[in-house]
Every structure is written in C-alpha cells, then in structure tokens.
Amino acid sequence: MSDKKLDTPNETVGLGRRRFINTAALAGLTVGVAACNDKPAAAPAAAPAAPAPAPAPTAHAGANVHLKPGELDTYYGLWSGGHTGDMRVLGLPSGRELLRIPCFVPDALVGWGITNESKAVMGTKPDGHLRYTVGDTHHTHASYKDGNYDGRYAWINDKINSRIARIRLDYFVCDKITQLPNVQGFHGIFPDKRDPVDQAINYTTRVFCGGEFSIPLPNAGIEDSSKYRSLFSCVDAETMEVRWQVLIDGNCDLVATSFDGKLAATNQYNTEMGAKYEDMMSAERDACLFFNIARIEEAVKAGKFKTIGSSKVPVVDGTHEANKDPKTALTAYVSVPKNPHGVNASPDQKYFICAGKLSPTVTVIELAKVLDWFDGKSEKLDDAIVAEVEVGLGPLHTAFDGRGNAFTTLFLDSQVVKWNIDKAIAFHKGDKNAKYVVDRLDVHYQPGHINASQSETIAADGKYLAVGCKFSKDRFLPVGPLHAENEQLIDISGEKMVLLADHPVRGEPHDFIIFKRDLVKPKQVYDLDHHPLAIKDPKESGVFRSGKKVTVKLTSQAPAFSMREFKVKKGDEVTLILTNLDKIEDLTHGFAIPNYNVNFIVNPQETASVTFVADQPGVFWCYCTHFCHALHLEMRTRMIVEA
Ligand SMILES: [Cu+2]
C-alpha cells in the first residue's frame, strides 16, 4: 500500500475522478514542519557561521506544541485505548500522556481487577473471579450541560462484551460498568447535550448506545441471518441502568444526538442485514437511522413495549414495518450512500453529517427537516438531505471548527479534507461554482477518527484538530512488526490546515474528545467518608477473626504501615483493608504481597481492600510498591501465615 500522493493538475470533485489534488496539503505540511522545529530552515552543516534570516512570516505558521518545562497544556484529550480496554488522558497541544484510566481490563499499576472495589465495578463470576478480562473501547464522550461539557462524567464503550463504563471526571476513575442486554458489538455512544431536556418526562442525561452486530433475539442459534436484528439502547447517566431499547432493522454503527434532545441517530452500514461482507456492501445506499426520543419515551410510558429473554428492559418496535406512518413513527430511515461510517452533529446545532466510507461523499442532513417529517409537515424524508457531495476516498469521521467548516478523514486518500457546509449545500442545490472544498492535508497514514477542540459543543473553538492515524509506518523508530499509532495534531485556526506534530501512541486508540482544561475540576485527595470501610485512625488497625474469615485493618502513612506485622492462619480467607491516611496530593502508597498475586495502590485518603486465601505458610514481606518517601524501601510489614 503506497501513501505517495500523485498530484493532479486541477482540483476536481467530479464523478469518476479517484484522486484529488494535493498541492495545498503539501504546502501546509512544509509550513507545519518548519513551525514544529521552531527554527528557520537550517543552513548547511559546513557553513554554520551566520544563522539564516528568519523567513517572512506566513499568514499562519501554526501554534507551538512544544511547551517549556513546567508549562501546562491548555486542553485535555480523552482517548479510548482500543483493546487495551482503557481510557487515556492526554494534555494538548503537547500530546503528553498523563494517565490511563483502566475500565474493562485489569491494570497492574493501580490494582484494577485486583482490589475488591474495582472487581465490584468490573463484575465477577460466582467464584469471585473477573467475568471478563478483555475489552475493546472505541468511543468516548463526556457529559454536557447546555450544549457544552460540564466535567461530571465521561463514558466509554466495550465492543466485545457490550459494556458501557462511566468515568468520574473529579477523580478520573471508572465507577460503574453496565452490560447492555441482548446486544453484541456495542459500538457508538453519545449522551444528551442538555440535562435534563424535559422535566415532564423527568429524566437526567441519557446515553445512547448502538448495537452493531445483528443477532437472533432472543439469541437461540438461528442460522438465517435475515431474521437477526439489533437494538439501540438508552442508558441513564446517573443510575447507569438501561432505560429502554429500540428494535431496529439493519445495524447501528456510530451515534449522534441533537442539541435539543429531540433526536438521536445512528449510521447503518448493513441495511442488507448480510452475514458476509459481500452481502453487507451489496446495496448502493444504506441509512442514517433517526430516533424520535420523545415518542419512544411516551411509548415506553404507555406500556407499548415487549421484553426479550430474561431482560426486563422495555423494547419498543423501531422496525420499518411498524413505523411507516410519520405521525406515529418512532424511527426514520434516511437513505445515505454506501456503508456510511461516522455520524456527527455540527456545532451550529442544525445538521448531522454522515461520511460515505465506500462512497466518496458526505451527506448533510438537516435536523429541522427530519422533525418536519415526523410532524407531518414534510412528505418526503429525503428532503432532509440538503447536501451530498464528493470529498475524497474513504470518508470516515467529521469534526467542526465552529466557523461553518467541517473536517473529514479520508482513510484511503490518507488525508483530511476541510470543507464548508454552507457551500456544500449551495453546490448540492445547483450552484456548481460553490467551491466547498477549502483545503486538503496529507496525514500519516490512513486516518480514522478525527476531532477538533470542543468540536461537537456549542463552544467549538476551531483551534486544534487531532487525527488518529492507524498506520505510522516510517514516522517513528521501528520497534519490531507492531508500530506505534500516530495521533497527529493540526492547527485549524487559519484558512489552511497546518500539521503541528506527530504524537506516537501505544495501540490501539480510536475515538477521542478534546476540551478546555477549565471544564474539569479534578480533586487531589479522596474523602475518607466516601468509603464505608475507611480506617480513620491507625488505632483501629488489627486482625479481626470470625471463624476462618479474617479481616486485617491497616493504614499507611509514609514511611510506615500501621502494623509492623500481622498473623493469620493457613487456610484463612483474608480480607485486607488499607486506608492511606496521608493527605498530600500524589502521596500514593502501594501494597504488594509476594507470591499472593496482590498489588494495588491507595491514593491519599483512599481505602481499598483485597480478599485472598492464605494458602501458603511462611513470612511474606508486604511492601510499598509506589515510591513515596526516602524510606520507601523500608516501608514494609510482615504477613506471617502460621501453618
Ligand atoms: Cu509508601
């Protein structure tokens, strides 16, 4: 697969052209590299005497991503880790990775999947072992208030096991995970953009979740795939319970929500309901499926639902057959070309954009016209399509600058295309002079997800654009067959895009959001009262026996644990509770027990516990694993297991 771009003499968006001009993109790249080096072009090594004069400033040279030591980033980025099952926190524009928040997969740094508290969030089998130790996160979104992020929560999906995790953005930890019933391949998520939308219905923020794989419902091994269906789910942001589901024809891919809370949508790439890829791509058009949220909630309230299998979640009927009358329809299938990927809401609150994937087009759907169809004011649902224009090969995802421009990744072209929404609409209406393509930029390589700072909020600020490139190839030092991925950062504050930086990341990130740093207020120290098992005074420490069950209560304060030793008997079921009484931010302690597969951390004023059977007699030096003090190595206690 070659990524060399062959320039063609003229920009064209005409049918049949499979390549697009790249001159502007190459110019942008050159400027970007110069800006990145922060220096004028270097003089030849042999003639170092006088520095070359600084080049005349270009109209827009690109922001500086190289922060000085001690300088803070101005944006947070929340990245889904892919099948590492975590969420990554990056500072932007520097691209420095600050934290990985474990969600679906155990994490050795913090003891996620080791402590009782994290196991309770992750879910266990009756034998106490984790139900799942693999995950596949794709999409991450944060909670909104009045159209902008409010810093309460973020959510992330697990495609493998159809789970949604909630991240508390005060402590940057996962606190709840919910598995969606009767869903396989849970893919897109998006929360409401207002909270609450309608007091009469009395809900808090909802998080909408798309089920990608169609399955027999209930799942009883039917081979005729034409009978498979999938479900679109609504999860309550506070309780994390599934409120309702919609049975649909076809599948769900990504999800978008309108700013007024009235509509959600998912793009569908397999309206054919095929089981083989040839069948999945056989139709020329698929759909962007809209959900009329108020009508769905009314139907649920009125008892017009069924349940599937052992799940008690109400399921309303959103299939074609049941939704032919616009006046009562819960769903509307807007036809879009072909195996679309990505549906994104423009920050002017007017449009959803579907990217064509197998079609070189983007489709602009006007939300007011979808609502008109539901209200019987418009006969043809297709009238809601106000533009369908060519942008390049393999369009996948779209971001926005808040100034009327959209940025779409072109997977096959290895480019980002900047295009103007109003001009695309004018072109679609017949103004063939409307030059809607504003700029193109080569990226490296094969971009998937894209997002801009504050993109899908009313505060889209058009400063930075990040692009998740699935292949980095020659951009970094080789480290064997598996390469880092390349999250590239682009300055979009000017007319032309300027490539600012390559940020290598460990595989295999997908979606991400970028928001201003002042939108979250992280806490530095836990509250002792938040944990029911907290040991508030070292004097409460001790070994408490009830038959074969033993509770060990311990506190930590650098450089010591509250007990210098503790004794249990072989065969005891030991629950060890550790409260970190240190009150200084970042003064975290670890607790490891050799040969017992125990290691976890406790942050300042945090309490965590582990349960294990003391099946090996002997002396075990339990030690602090998280560097804390000059006497860190001396910070130990002895577990004595008596035979
Ligand atoms: Cu320590």
Side-chain angles (χ1 to χ4, degrees):
M1 181 165 13
S2 167
D3 293 296
K4 285 267 182 272
K5 290 285 169 304
L6 296 174
D7 288 357
T8 49
N10 15 321
E11 171 81 39
T12 173
V13 289
L15 281 164
R17 293 307 294 254
R18 308 303 278 175
R19 281 284 165 190
F20 299 88
I21 192 167
N22 252 325
T23 316
L26 288 170
L29 177 65
T30 311
V31 172
V33 169
C36 205
N37 290 341
D38 227 5
K39 280 178 191 163
T58 53
H60 182 75
N64 186 12
V65 301
H66 300 293
L67 300 184
K68 293 191 185 105
E71 271 186 348
L72 297 184
D73 281 295
T74 44
Y75 292 84
Y76 282 98
L78 300 182
W79 254 252
S80 76
H83 49 104
T84 55
D86 53 9
M87 177 185 276
R88 319 250 177 103
V89 184
L90 271 59
L92 291 171
S94 76
R96 296 176 292 199
E97 184 181 289
L98 308 174
L99 182 69
R100 293 184 185 183
I101 306 169
C103 301
F104 301 111
V105 171
D107 183 280
L109 178 80
V110 300
W112 190 254
I114 297 288
T115 63
N116 294 330
E117 291 71 22
S118 60
K119 285 166 85 175
V121 174
M122 294 174 81
T124 53
K125 295 186 278 193
D127 66 4
H129 289 108
L130 292 175
R131 184 163 295 281
Y132 305 110
T133 54
V134 296
D136 182 25
T137 68
H138 281 236
H139 297 112
T140 178
H141 290 287
S143 58
Y144 284 73
K145 186 169 192 284
D146 301 331
N148 196 4
Y149 299 125
D150 65 0
R152 281 181 302 153
Y153 302 126
W155 291 274
I156 192 162
N157 74 311
D158 165 27
K159 181 168 170 174
I160 300 174
N161 301 306
S162 300
R163 293 177 293 172
I164 177 168
R166 183 174 74 186
I167 315 290
R168 287 179 62 150
L169 289 179
D170 51 357
Y171 291 107
F172 282 77
V173 292
C174 171
D175 76 333
K176 271 186 189 281
I177 292 177
T178 296
Q179 188 169 35
L180 307 175
N182 298 306
V183 171
Q184 259 180 38
F186 156 39
H187 197 192
I189 54 175
F190 219 106
D192 270 318
K193 295 194 174 87
R194 297 194 184 278
D195 178 22
V197 181
D198 185 346
Q199 296 287 356
I201 301 173
N202 190 28
Y203 51 68
T204 54
T205 291
R206 302 155 298 194
V207 190
F208 301 100
C209 309
E212 185 177 342
F213 303 155
S214 300
I215 52 172
L217 292 170
N219 195 351
I222 302 167
E223 279 187 24
D224 177 2
S225 65
S226 70
K227 298 208 163 56
Y228 299 177
R229 291 293 180 277
S230 59
L231 296 169
F232 181 80
S233 305
C234 170
V235 174
D236 186 297
E238 296 301 329
T239 65
M240 287 291 286
E241 287 169 2
V242 184
R243 297 179 61 109
W244 44 257
Q245 295 177 304
V246 185
L247 181 78
I248 61 160
D249 292 320
N251 66 343
C252 304
D253 193 13
L254 285 99
V255 174
T257 56
S258 64
F259 281 79
D260 59 10
K262 292 179 178 169
L263 294 170
T266 183
N267 63 292
Q268 299 192 290
Y269 68 78
N270 186 17
T271 52
E272 301 93 333
M273 295 193 276
K276 296 185 268 211
Y277 79 84
E278 307 90 293
D279 299 333
M280 294 181 199
M281 58 182 283
S282 60
E284 283 308 306
R285 294 184 80 87
D286 286 287
C288 183
L289 171 55
F290 280 82
F291 299 89
N292 187 319
I293 304 301
R295 282 191 193 166
I296 290 167
E297 305 223 307
E298 282 159 19
V300 171
K301 211 171 166 187
K304 294 177 190 161
F305 61 81
K306 60 173 186 174
T307 58
I308 298 174
S310 58
S311 165
K312 293 194 169 57
V313 174
V315 179
V316 298
D317 190 348
T319 59
H320 281 289
E321 199 53 38
N323 292 277
K324 285 184 173 160
D325 180 0
K327 292 210 177 79
T328 56
L330 309 180
T331 54
Y333 293 73
V334 177
S335 166
V336 299
K338 164 178 187 168
N339 294 58
H341 191 71
V343 55
N344 295 95
S346 64
D348 62 9
Q349 314 186 32
K350 288 195 221 166
Y351 308 111
F352 281 4
I353 314 283
C354 259
K357 193 167 79 181
L358 299 191
S359 160
T361 53
V362 285
T363 302
V364 182
I365 302 168
E366 188 173 338
L367 302 182
K369 293 189 172 171
V370 175
L371 288 170
D372 281 350
W373 181 83
F374 276 119
D375 293 341
K377 292 180 198 159
S378 159
E379 279 185 18
K380 277 176 61 199
L381 190 51
D382 285 351
D383 289 346
I385 296 175
V386 292
E388 196 165 288
V389 294
E390 288 204 24
V391 289
L393 295 183
L396 290 186
H397 296 279
T398 299
F400 306 92
D401 66 1
R403 296 186 287 270
N405 299 305
F407 302 80
T408 301
T409 45
L410 302 174
F411 183 80
L412 297 177
D413 279 337
S414 278
Q415 285 187 334
V416 173
V417 55
K418 174 181 178 180
W419 54 282
N420 183 275
I421 299 171
D422 283 343
K423 286 187 179 160
I425 293 170
F427 184 89
H428 183 81
K429 274 189 187 152
D431 176 4
K432 297 305 171 198
N433 292 321
K435 291 205 183 318
Y436 57 88
V437 171
V438 181
D439 192 19
R440 295 178 183 281
L441 181 70
D442 284 349
V443 294
H444 311 85
Y445 305 92
Q446 270 74 42
H449 276 282
I450 190 169
N451 223 332
S453 44
Q454 298 279 148
S455 176
E456 283 183 73
T457 73
I458 57 167
D461 64 5
K463 285 196 79 167
Y464 294 108
L465 184 77
V467 184
C469 299
K470 303 314 288 180
F471 297 86
S472 65
K473 296 180 187 173
D474 49 7
R475 303 293 282 193
F476 308 114
L477 288 177
V479 286
L482 178 65
H483 293 224
E485 293 191 19
N486 191 2
E487 306 294 292
Q488 288 191 305
L489 194 73
I490 295 166
D491 185 333
I492 54 167
S493 57
E495 177 85 349
K496 293 215 163 289
M497 294 177 275
V498 179
L499 182 62
L500 295 175
D502 285 6
H503 293 312
V505 287
R506 185 186 182 210
E508 206 264 314
H510 288 252
D511 193 18
F512 50 88
I513 56 171
I514 302 165
F515 54 90
K516 286 192 171 155
R517 69 183 183 196
D518 55 5
L519 289 172
V520 290
K521 302 272 183 288
K523 292 184 174 161
Q524 307 289 348
V525 172
Y526 276 88
D527 186 333
L528 277 185
D529 291 331
H530 285 175
H531 201 293
L533 301 179
I535 301 149
K536 296 184 180 175
D537 188 325
K539 293 193 194 97
E540 296 168 27
S541 304
V543 177
F544 304 88
R545 177 173 293 277
S546 171
K548 294 285 271 180
K549 293 198 174 189
V550 174
T551 303
V552 178
K553 294 187 178 180
L554 205 58
T555 62
S556 61
Q557 261 177 304
F561 295 108
S562 54
M563 291 190 288
R564 305 305 170 96
E565 61 179 55
F566 58 92
K567 285 181 183 166
V568 297
K569 290 194 173 69
K570 188 187 173 199
D572 284 345
E573 183 193 281
V574 179
T575 296
L576 185 145
I577 306 164
L578 175 61
T579 297
N580 181 2
L581 291 177
D582 277 312
K583 291 179 182 166
I584 300 164
E585 64 188 65
D586 206 22
L587 218 175
T588 294
H589 296 291
F591 193 87
I593 312 177
N595 303 359
Y596 272 90
N597 198 37
V598 168
N599 185 26
F600 63 98
I601 61 166
V602 273
N603 287 306
Q605 302 280 292
E606 187 183 23
T607 299
S609 66
V610 288
T611 299
F612 57 92
V613 176
D615 53 3
Q616 304 160 73
V619 171
F620 299 89
W621 284 105
C622 308
Y623 69 100
C624 177
T625 45
H626 206 93
F627 199 97
C628 60
H629 191 275
L631 290 170
H632 168 67
L633 291 178
E634 290 81 353
M635 185 167 175
R636 304 187 214 165
T637 179
R638 266 183 303 165
M639 178 172 80
I640 299 164
V641 182
E642 296 173 329

